[in-house]
mmCIF file of all heavy atoms in Angstrom:
data_model
loop_
_atom_site.group_PDB
_atom_site.id
_atom_site.type_symbol
_atom_site.label_atom_id
_atom_site.label_comp_id
_atom_site.label_asym_id
_atom_site.label_seq_id
_atom_site.Cartn_x
_atom_site.Cartn_y
_atom_site.Cartn_z
ATOM 1 N N LEU F 1 -55.983 -34.051 28.153
ATOM 2 C CA LEU F 1 -54.652 -34.637 28.200
ATOM 3 C C LEU F 1 -54.743 -36.177 27.927
ATOM 4 O O LEU F 1 -53.921 -36.729 27.186
ATOM 5 C CB LEU F 1 -54.023 -34.403 29.579
ATOM 6 C CG LEU F 1 -52.642 -35.042 29.819
ATOM 7 C CD1 LEU F 1 -51.674 -34.433 28.829
ATOM 8 C CD2 LEU F 1 -52.180 -34.808 31.253
ATOM 9 N N ALA F 2 -55.746 -36.806 28.524
ATOM 10 C CA ALA F 2 -55.888 -38.251 28.238
ATOM 11 C C ALA F 2 -56.195 -38.496 26.750
ATOM 12 O O ALA F 2 -55.640 -39.510 26.193
ATOM 13 C CB ALA F 2 -57.073 -38.778 29.074
ATOM 14 N N GLN F 3 -56.943 -37.658 26.148
ATOM 15 C CA GLN F 3 -57.195 -37.844 24.696
ATOM 16 C C GLN F 3 -55.901 -37.681 23.885
ATOM 17 O O GLN F 3 -55.627 -38.405 22.958
ATOM 18 C CB GLN F 3 -58.246 -36.800 24.271
ATOM 19 C CG GLN F 3 -58.706 -37.044 22.772
ATOM 20 C CD GLN F 3 -59.873 -36.117 22.465
ATOM 21 O OE1 GLN F 3 -59.848 -34.934 22.834
ATOM 22 N NE2 GLN F 3 -60.899 -36.621 21.742
ATOM 23 N N GLU F 4 -55.092 -36.672 24.244
ATOM 24 C CA GLU F 4 -53.815 -36.458 23.606
ATOM 25 C C GLU F 4 -52.903 -37.673 23.710
ATOM 26 O O GLU F 4 -52.090 -37.951 22.838
ATOM 27 C CB GLU F 4 -53.130 -35.234 24.195
ATOM 28 C CG GLU F 4 -53.750 -33.929 23.898
ATOM 29 C CD GLU F 4 -53.109 -32.779 24.637
ATOM 30 O OE1 GLU F 4 -51.978 -33.010 25.173
ATOM 31 O OE2 GLU F 4 -53.662 -31.713 24.714
ATOM 32 N N LYS F 5 -53.008 -38.341 24.843
ATOM 33 C CA LYS F 5 -52.111 -39.508 25.121
ATOM 34 C C LYS F 5 -52.700 -40.837 24.552
ATOM 35 O O LYS F 5 -52.277 -41.929 24.853
ATOM 36 C CB LYS F 5 -51.833 -39.658 26.600
ATOM 37 C CG LYS F 5 -51.179 -38.407 27.213
ATOM 38 C CD LYS F 5 -49.872 -38.116 26.551
ATOM 39 C CE LYS F 5 -49.240 -36.852 27.169
ATOM 40 N NZ LYS F 5 -48.032 -36.467 26.500
ATOM 41 N N GLY F 6 -53.802 -40.731 23.808
ATOM 42 C CA GLY F 6 -54.349 -41.903 23.140
ATOM 43 C C GLY F 6 -55.396 -42.662 23.932
ATOM 44 O O GLY F 6 -55.726 -43.807 23.572
ATOM 45 N N ILE F 7 -55.885 -42.102 25.001
ATOM 46 C CA ILE F 7 -56.938 -42.783 25.764
ATOM 47 C C ILE F 7 -58.339 -42.372 25.228
ATOM 48 O O ILE F 7 -58.744 -41.286 25.554
ATOM 49 C CB ILE F 7 -56.864 -42.482 27.315
ATOM 50 C CG1 ILE F 7 -55.431 -42.761 27.826
ATOM 51 C CG2 ILE F 7 -57.884 -43.244 28.100
ATOM 52 C CD1 ILE F 7 -55.156 -42.341 29.212
ATOM 53 N N SER F 8 -58.911 -43.119 24.413
ATOM 54 C CA SER F 8 -60.109 -42.752 23.706
ATOM 55 C C SER F 8 -61.384 -42.871 24.605
ATOM 56 O O SER F 8 -62.331 -42.026 24.513
ATOM 57 C CB SER F 8 -60.358 -43.584 22.462
ATOM 58 O OG SER F 8 -60.362 -44.964 22.784
ATOM 59 N N GLN F 9 -61.397 -43.835 25.536
ATOM 60 C CA GLN F 9 -62.563 -44.003 26.449
ATOM 61 C C GLN F 9 -62.303 -43.199 27.710
ATOM 62 O O GLN F 9 -61.457 -43.575 28.510
ATOM 63 C CB GLN F 9 -62.726 -45.491 26.829
ATOM 64 C CG GLN F 9 -63.229 -46.357 25.622
ATOM 65 C CD GLN F 9 -63.440 -47.750 26.058
ATOM 66 O OE1 GLN F 9 -62.550 -48.552 25.974
ATOM 67 N NE2 GLN F 9 -64.658 -48.088 26.495
ATOM 68 N N ARG F 10 -63.040 -42.132 27.833
ATOM 69 C CA ARG F 10 -62.860 -41.189 28.982
ATOM 70 C C ARG F 10 -64.223 -40.920 29.628
ATOM 71 O O ARG F 10 -65.161 -40.532 28.894
ATOM 72 C CB ARG F 10 -62.205 -39.886 28.557
ATOM 73 C CG ARG F 10 -60.782 -40.071 28.006
ATOM 74 C CD ARG F 10 -60.338 -38.887 27.175
ATOM 75 N NE ARG F 10 -61.272 -38.733 26.013
ATOM 76 C CZ ARG F 10 -61.845 -37.602 25.738
ATOM 77 N NH1 ARG F 10 -61.682 -36.522 26.490
ATOM 78 N NH2 ARG F 10 -62.665 -37.507 24.680
ATOM 79 N N GLY F 11 -64.355 -41.157 30.905
ATOM 80 C CA GLY F 11 -65.663 -40.978 31.504
ATOM 81 C C GLY F 11 -65.561 -40.246 32.875
ATOM 82 O O GLY F 11 -64.484 -40.244 33.516
ATOM 83 N N VAL F 12 -66.700 -39.690 33.266
ATOM 84 C CA VAL F 12 -66.775 -38.970 34.556
ATOM 85 C C VAL F 12 -67.966 -39.509 35.314
ATOM 86 O O VAL F 12 -69.073 -39.607 34.764
ATOM 87 C CB VAL F 12 -66.904 -37.443 34.345
ATOM 88 C CG1 VAL F 12 -67.196 -36.796 35.705
ATOM 89 C CG2 VAL F 12 -65.670 -36.858 33.666
ATOM 90 N N MET F 13 -67.783 -39.856 36.544
ATOM 91 C CA MET F 13 -68.860 -40.345 37.439
ATOM 92 C C MET F 13 -68.860 -39.450 38.656
ATOM 93 O O MET F 13 -68.056 -39.644 39.562
ATOM 94 C CB MET F 13 -68.637 -41.794 37.814
ATOM 95 C CG MET F 13 -69.800 -42.422 38.622
ATOM 96 S SD MET F 13 -69.459 -44.123 39.077
ATOM 97 C CE MET F 13 -69.625 -44.991 37.509
ATOM 98 N N LEU F 14 -69.737 -38.445 38.672
ATOM 99 C CA LEU F 14 -69.870 -37.584 39.841
ATOM 100 C C LEU F 14 -71.050 -38.058 40.653
ATOM 101 O O LEU F 14 -72.200 -37.923 40.236
ATOM 102 C CB LEU F 14 -70.081 -36.126 39.368
ATOM 103 C CG LEU F 14 -68.805 -35.522 38.706
ATOM 104 C CD1 LEU F 14 -69.083 -34.032 38.337
ATOM 105 C CD2 LEU F 14 -67.571 -35.583 39.568
ATOM 106 N N VAL F 15 -70.713 -38.650 41.798
ATOM 107 C CA VAL F 15 -71.756 -39.359 42.595
ATOM 108 C C VAL F 15 -72.542 -38.291 43.385
ATOM 109 O O VAL F 15 -71.997 -37.476 44.100
ATOM 110 C CB VAL F 15 -71.018 -40.300 43.573
ATOM 111 C CG1 VAL F 15 -72.112 -41.083 44.386
ATOM 112 C CG2 VAL F 15 -70.102 -41.240 42.871
ATOM 113 N N PRO F 16 -73.891 -38.335 43.256
ATOM 114 C CA PRO F 16 -74.746 -37.435 44.019
ATOM 115 C C PRO F 16 -74.624 -37.634 45.512
ATOM 116 O O PRO F 16 -74.373 -38.761 45.964
ATOM 117 C CB PRO F 16 -76.172 -37.675 43.477
ATOM 118 C CG PRO F 16 -76.090 -39.019 42.942
ATOM 119 C CD PRO F 16 -74.675 -39.215 42.415
ATOM 120 N N SER F 17 -74.811 -36.577 46.290
ATOM 121 C CA SER F 17 -74.819 -36.707 47.730
ATOM 122 C C SER F 17 -76.089 -37.304 48.204
ATOM 123 O O SER F 17 -77.139 -37.258 47.459
ATOM 124 C CB SER F 17 -74.620 -35.342 48.395
ATOM 125 O OG SER F 17 -73.439 -34.734 47.930
ATOM 126 N N ALA F 18 -76.102 -37.873 49.401
ATOM 127 C CA ALA F 18 -77.395 -38.404 49.965
ATOM 128 C C ALA F 18 -78.477 -37.388 49.974
ATOM 129 O O ALA F 18 -79.632 -37.743 49.782
ATOM 130 C CB ALA F 18 -77.046 -38.970 51.374
ATOM 131 N N GLU F 19 -78.098 -36.114 50.226
ATOM 132 C CA GLU F 19 -79.113 -35.077 50.265
ATOM 133 C C GLU F 19 -79.884 -34.979 48.937
ATOM 134 O O GLU F 19 -81.102 -34.638 48.979
ATOM 135 C CB GLU F 19 -78.363 -33.761 50.555
ATOM 136 C CG GLU F 19 -79.229 -32.498 50.456
ATOM 137 C CD GLU F 19 -78.404 -31.225 50.385
ATOM 138 O OE1 GLU F 19 -77.180 -31.321 50.192
ATOM 139 O OE2 GLU F 19 -79.030 -30.157 50.512
ATOM 140 N N ALA F 20 -79.280 -35.235 47.801
ATOM 141 C CA ALA F 20 -79.930 -35.146 46.541
ATOM 142 C C ALA F 20 -80.709 -36.414 46.168
ATOM 143 O O ALA F 20 -81.594 -36.342 45.337
ATOM 144 C CB ALA F 20 -78.901 -34.875 45.428
ATOM 145 N N VAL F 21 -80.316 -37.531 46.755
ATOM 146 C CA VAL F 21 -80.944 -38.793 46.471
ATOM 147 C C VAL F 21 -82.085 -39.215 47.395
ATOM 148 O O VAL F 21 -83.197 -39.598 46.985
ATOM 149 C CB VAL F 21 -79.916 -39.941 46.431
ATOM 150 C CG1 VAL F 21 -80.563 -41.319 46.266
ATOM 151 C CG2 VAL F 21 -78.869 -39.736 45.310
ATOM 152 N N LEU F 22 -81.824 -39.034 48.695
ATOM 153 C CA LEU F 22 -82.806 -39.520 49.735
ATOM 154 C C LEU F 22 -83.751 -38.388 50.113
ATOM 155 O O LEU F 22 -83.879 -38.019 51.312
ATOM 156 C CB LEU F 22 -82.013 -40.029 50.949
ATOM 157 C CG LEU F 22 -81.007 -41.097 50.695
ATOM 158 C CD1 LEU F 22 -80.333 -41.528 51.982
ATOM 159 C CD2 LEU F 22 -81.629 -42.354 50.027
ATOM 160 N N ARG F 23 -84.447 -37.820 49.108
ATOM 161 C CA ARG F 23 -85.303 -36.630 49.399
ATOM 162 C C ARG F 23 -86.461 -37.010 50.350
ATOM 163 O O ARG F 23 -86.832 -36.179 51.151
ATOM 164 C CB ARG F 23 -85.890 -36.150 48.073
ATOM 165 C CG ARG F 23 -84.869 -35.702 47.035
ATOM 166 C CD ARG F 23 -84.002 -34.560 47.465
ATOM 167 N NE ARG F 23 -84.791 -33.387 47.812
ATOM 168 C CZ ARG F 23 -84.248 -32.284 48.401
ATOM 169 N NH1 ARG F 23 -82.981 -32.275 48.706
ATOM 170 N NH2 ARG F 23 -85.021 -31.239 48.675
ATOM 171 N N ASP F 24 -86.891 -38.269 50.313
ATOM 172 C CA ASP F 24 -88.013 -38.654 51.156
ATOM 173 C C ASP F 24 -87.599 -38.838 52.642
ATOM 174 O O ASP F 24 -88.428 -38.912 53.504
ATOM 175 C CB ASP F 24 -88.637 -39.916 50.688
ATOM 176 C CG ASP F 24 -87.687 -41.062 50.607
ATOM 177 O OD1 ASP F 24 -86.486 -40.855 50.367
ATOM 178 O OD2 ASP F 24 -88.093 -42.255 50.811
ATOM 179 N N LYS F 25 -86.271 -38.839 52.880
ATOM 180 C CA LYS F 25 -85.758 -39.032 54.229
ATOM 181 C C LYS F 25 -85.438 -37.635 54.908
ATOM 182 O O LYS F 25 -85.183 -37.585 56.114
ATOM 183 C CB LYS F 25 -84.476 -39.810 54.240
ATOM 184 C CG LYS F 25 -84.564 -41.167 53.604
ATOM 185 C CD LYS F 25 -85.488 -42.106 54.371
ATOM 186 C CE LYS F 25 -85.442 -43.512 53.828
ATOM 187 N NZ LYS F 25 -86.374 -44.458 54.527
ATOM 188 N N LEU F 26 -85.484 -36.568 54.132
ATOM 189 C CA LEU F 26 -85.133 -35.247 54.625
ATOM 190 C C LEU F 26 -86.215 -34.679 55.488
ATOM 191 O O LEU F 26 -87.416 -35.018 55.307
ATOM 192 C CB LEU F 26 -84.829 -34.268 53.529
ATOM 193 C CG LEU F 26 -83.543 -34.511 52.681
ATOM 194 C CD1 LEU F 26 -83.469 -33.593 51.470
ATOM 195 C CD2 LEU F 26 -82.311 -34.278 53.520
ATOM 196 N N PRO F 27 -85.915 -33.780 56.410
ATOM 197 C CA PRO F 27 -86.922 -33.109 57.172
ATOM 198 C C PRO F 27 -87.866 -32.281 56.295
ATOM 199 O O PRO F 27 -87.484 -31.878 55.160
ATOM 200 C CB PRO F 27 -86.148 -32.156 58.068
ATOM 201 C CG PRO F 27 -84.764 -32.691 58.131
ATOM 202 C CD PRO F 27 -84.522 -33.348 56.810
ATOM 203 N N GLY F 28 -89.077 -32.043 56.680
ATOM 204 C CA GLY F 28 -90.026 -31.299 55.917
ATOM 205 C C GLY F 28 -89.506 -29.893 55.622
ATOM 206 O O GLY F 28 -88.794 -29.289 56.436
ATOM 207 N N LEU F 29 -89.805 -29.383 54.414
ATOM 208 C CA LEU F 29 -89.457 -28.087 53.978
ATOM 209 C C LEU F 29 -87.958 -27.893 53.720
ATOM 210 O O LEU F 29 -87.469 -26.790 53.540
ATOM 211 C CB LEU F 29 -89.937 -26.968 54.993
ATOM 212 C CG LEU F 29 -91.443 -26.960 55.283
ATOM 213 C CD1 LEU F 29 -91.775 -25.852 56.275
ATOM 214 C CD2 LEU F 29 -92.242 -26.778 54.001
ATOM 215 N N ALA F 30 -87.250 -28.999 53.633
ATOM 216 C CA ALA F 30 -85.802 -28.874 53.289
ATOM 217 C C ALA F 30 -85.727 -28.405 51.845
ATOM 218 O O ALA F 30 -86.439 -28.915 50.988
ATOM 219 C CB ALA F 30 -85.100 -30.242 53.436
ATOM 220 N N PRO F 31 -84.826 -27.436 51.544
ATOM 221 C CA PRO F 31 -84.749 -26.917 50.190
ATOM 222 C C PRO F 31 -84.166 -27.924 49.241
ATOM 223 O O PRO F 31 -83.521 -28.916 49.670
ATOM 224 C CB PRO F 31 -83.793 -25.707 50.395
ATOM 225 C CG PRO F 31 -82.991 -26.066 51.557
ATOM 226 C CD PRO F 31 -83.883 -26.807 52.463
ATOM 227 N N GLU F 32 -84.343 -27.660 47.969
ATOM 228 C CA GLU F 32 -83.711 -28.526 46.955
ATOM 229 C C GLU F 32 -82.173 -28.503 47.136
ATOM 230 O O GLU F 32 -81.580 -27.501 47.522
ATOM 231 C CB GLU F 32 -84.042 -28.053 45.554
ATOM 232 C CG GLU F 32 -85.501 -28.337 45.101
ATOM 233 C CD GLU F 32 -85.729 -29.850 45.002
ATOM 234 O OE1 GLU F 32 -84.823 -30.528 44.415
ATOM 235 O OE2 GLU F 32 -86.752 -30.274 45.492
ATOM 236 N N ALA F 33 -81.552 -29.631 46.753
ATOM 237 C CA ALA F 33 -80.111 -29.747 46.866
ATOM 238 C C ALA F 33 -79.439 -28.758 45.904
ATOM 239 O O ALA F 33 -79.772 -28.732 44.758
ATOM 240 C CB ALA F 33 -79.673 -31.148 46.630
ATOM 241 N N ALA F 34 -78.515 -27.963 46.406
ATOM 242 C CA ALA F 34 -77.871 -26.901 45.617
ATOM 243 C C ALA F 34 -77.063 -27.568 44.473
ATOM 244 O O ALA F 34 -76.717 -26.894 43.488
ATOM 245 C CB ALA F 34 -76.990 -26.041 46.469
ATOM 246 N N GLU F 35 -76.661 -28.829 44.645
ATOM 247 C CA GLU F 35 -75.772 -29.455 43.646
ATOM 248 C C GLU F 35 -76.502 -29.722 42.326
ATOM 249 O O GLU F 35 -75.851 -29.981 41.289
ATOM 250 C CB GLU F 35 -75.213 -30.728 44.189
ATOM 251 C CG GLU F 35 -76.186 -31.875 44.439
ATOM 252 C CD GLU F 35 -75.518 -33.048 45.040
ATOM 253 O OE1 GLU F 35 -74.940 -32.961 46.134
ATOM 254 O OE2 GLU F 35 -75.565 -34.176 44.412
ATOM 255 N N GLU F 36 -77.820 -29.779 42.366
ATOM 256 C CA GLU F 36 -78.597 -30.157 41.122
ATOM 257 C C GLU F 36 -78.281 -29.255 39.969
ATOM 258 O O GLU F 36 -77.920 -29.664 38.894
ATOM 259 C CB GLU F 36 -80.102 -30.168 41.483
ATOM 260 C CG GLU F 36 -80.535 -31.158 42.567
ATOM 261 C CD GLU F 36 -80.778 -32.511 42.064
ATOM 262 O OE1 GLU F 36 -80.385 -32.780 40.912
ATOM 263 O OE2 GLU F 36 -81.319 -33.316 42.834
ATOM 264 N N SER F 37 -78.540 -27.915 40.160
ATOM 265 C CA SER F 37 -78.337 -26.978 39.081
ATOM 266 C C SER F 37 -76.857 -26.835 38.711
ATOM 267 O O SER F 37 -76.499 -26.691 37.549
ATOM 268 C CB SER F 37 -78.932 -25.629 39.447
ATOM 269 O OG SER F 37 -78.299 -25.135 40.640
ATOM 270 N N TRP F 38 -75.997 -26.951 39.711
ATOM 271 C CA TRP F 38 -74.528 -26.892 39.457
ATOM 272 C C TRP F 38 -74.129 -28.052 38.490
ATOM 273 O O TRP F 38 -73.385 -27.877 37.566
ATOM 274 C CB TRP F 38 -73.773 -27.016 40.768
ATOM 275 C CG TRP F 38 -72.287 -27.270 40.553
ATOM 276 C CD1 TRP F 38 -71.316 -26.390 40.278
ATOM 277 C CD2 TRP F 38 -71.667 -28.572 40.595
ATOM 278 N NE1 TRP F 38 -70.076 -27.052 40.144
ATOM 279 C CE2 TRP F 38 -70.300 -28.373 40.329
ATOM 280 C CE3 TRP F 38 -72.105 -29.898 40.819
ATOM 281 C CZ2 TRP F 38 -69.352 -29.416 40.320
ATOM 282 C CZ3 TRP F 38 -71.195 -30.919 40.793
ATOM 283 C CH2 TRP F 38 -69.847 -30.680 40.540
ATOM 284 N N TYR F 39 -74.602 -29.290 38.780
ATOM 285 C CA TYR F 39 -74.240 -30.407 37.965
ATOM 286 C C TYR F 39 -74.678 -30.285 36.553
ATOM 287 O O TYR F 39 -73.909 -30.584 35.606
ATOM 288 C CB TYR F 39 -74.804 -31.674 38.631
ATOM 289 C CG TYR F 39 -74.482 -32.950 37.851
ATOM 290 C CD1 TYR F 39 -73.207 -33.413 37.756
ATOM 291 C CD2 TYR F 39 -75.509 -33.596 37.162
ATOM 292 C CE1 TYR F 39 -72.890 -34.554 37.039
ATOM 293 C CE2 TYR F 39 -75.185 -34.769 36.429
ATOM 294 C CZ TYR F 39 -73.872 -35.221 36.400
ATOM 295 O OH TYR F 39 -73.585 -36.377 35.666
ATOM 296 N N GLN F 40 -75.909 -29.799 36.358
ATOM 297 C CA GLN F 40 -76.391 -29.667 34.986
ATOM 298 C C GLN F 40 -75.559 -28.590 34.212
ATOM 299 O O GLN F 40 -75.218 -28.784 33.021
ATOM 300 C CB GLN F 40 -77.861 -29.232 34.952
ATOM 301 C CG GLN F 40 -78.738 -30.328 35.540
ATOM 302 C CD GLN F 40 -78.613 -31.687 34.875
ATOM 303 O OE1 GLN F 40 -78.421 -31.714 33.648
ATOM 304 N NE2 GLN F 40 -78.693 -32.764 35.624
ATOM 305 N N ALA F 41 -75.202 -27.493 34.920
ATOM 306 C CA ALA F 41 -74.375 -26.487 34.301
ATOM 307 C C ALA F 41 -72.937 -27.024 33.981
ATOM 308 O O ALA F 41 -72.354 -26.697 32.912
ATOM 309 C CB ALA F 41 -74.321 -25.291 35.209
ATOM 310 N N LEU F 42 -72.435 -27.832 34.865
ATOM 311 C CA LEU F 42 -71.100 -28.418 34.671
ATOM 312 C C LEU F 42 -71.084 -29.333 33.483
ATOM 313 O O LEU F 42 -70.128 -29.315 32.670
ATOM 314 C CB LEU F 42 -70.721 -29.200 35.906
ATOM 315 C CG LEU F 42 -69.276 -29.779 35.863
ATOM 316 C CD1 LEU F 42 -68.272 -28.675 36.189
ATOM 317 C CD2 LEU F 42 -69.094 -30.927 36.869
ATOM 318 N N ARG F 43 -72.129 -30.117 33.241
ATOM 319 C CA ARG F 43 -72.216 -30.987 32.091
ATOM 320 C C ARG F 43 -72.173 -30.200 30.822
ATOM 321 O O ARG F 43 -71.504 -30.539 29.848
ATOM 322 C CB ARG F 43 -73.498 -31.856 32.183
ATOM 323 C CG ARG F 43 -73.390 -33.032 33.127
ATOM 324 C CD ARG F 43 -74.276 -34.153 32.657
ATOM 325 N NE ARG F 43 -73.966 -34.533 31.274
ATOM 326 C CZ ARG F 43 -74.550 -35.530 30.647
ATOM 327 N NH1 ARG F 43 -75.447 -36.299 31.252
ATOM 328 N NH2 ARG F 43 -74.283 -35.787 29.404
ATOM 329 N N GLN F 44 -72.986 -29.082 30.803
ATOM 330 C CA GLN F 44 -72.980 -28.276 29.602
ATOM 331 C C GLN F 44 -71.595 -27.683 29.352
ATOM 332 O O GLN F 44 -71.140 -27.642 28.207
ATOM 333 C CB GLN F 44 -74.039 -27.171 29.772
ATOM 334 C CG GLN F 44 -75.461 -27.660 29.770
ATOM 335 C CD GLN F 44 -76.454 -26.527 29.970
ATOM 336 O OE1 GLN F 44 -76.113 -25.356 30.004
ATOM 337 N NE2 GLN F 44 -77.710 -26.899 30.105
ATOM 338 N N GLU F 45 -70.948 -27.200 30.362
ATOM 339 C CA GLU F 45 -69.589 -26.670 30.218
ATOM 340 C C GLU F 45 -68.602 -27.748 29.714
ATOM 341 O O GLU F 45 -67.790 -27.509 28.861
ATOM 342 C CB GLU F 45 -69.116 -26.108 31.552
ATOM 343 C CG GLU F 45 -67.742 -25.489 31.471
ATOM 344 C CD GLU F 45 -67.246 -25.001 32.837
ATOM 345 O OE1 GLU F 45 -68.092 -24.757 33.766
ATOM 346 O OE2 GLU F 45 -66.015 -24.878 33.023
#
């Protein structure tokens, strides 16, 4: 819609959660953040 209305510069900033960034602060054996694979798939879509 923004492109249709003449806004050529369009950006998305999806900020990662602390869980995905502060991996060294997490308890031992904490699983990978579920948002990682979701975000990569979203970008492709």
Side-chain angles (χ1 to χ4, degrees):
L1 178 62
Q3 188 174 40
E4 290 173 14
K5 302 302 178 183
I7 306 174
S8 57
Q9 289 181 272
R10 297 161 299 127
V12 174
M13 184 182 290
L14 292 182
V15 184
S17 303
E19 174 195 10
V21 173
L22 306 179
R23 302 298 300 171
D24 59 328
K25 304 293 185 185
L26 289 172
L29 304 179
E32 285 296 314
E35 68 184 58
E36 299 275 13
S37 57
W38 166 83
Y39 177 68
Q40 295 305 322
L42 185 78
R43 282 210 54 177
Q44 292 179 4
E45 181 182 339

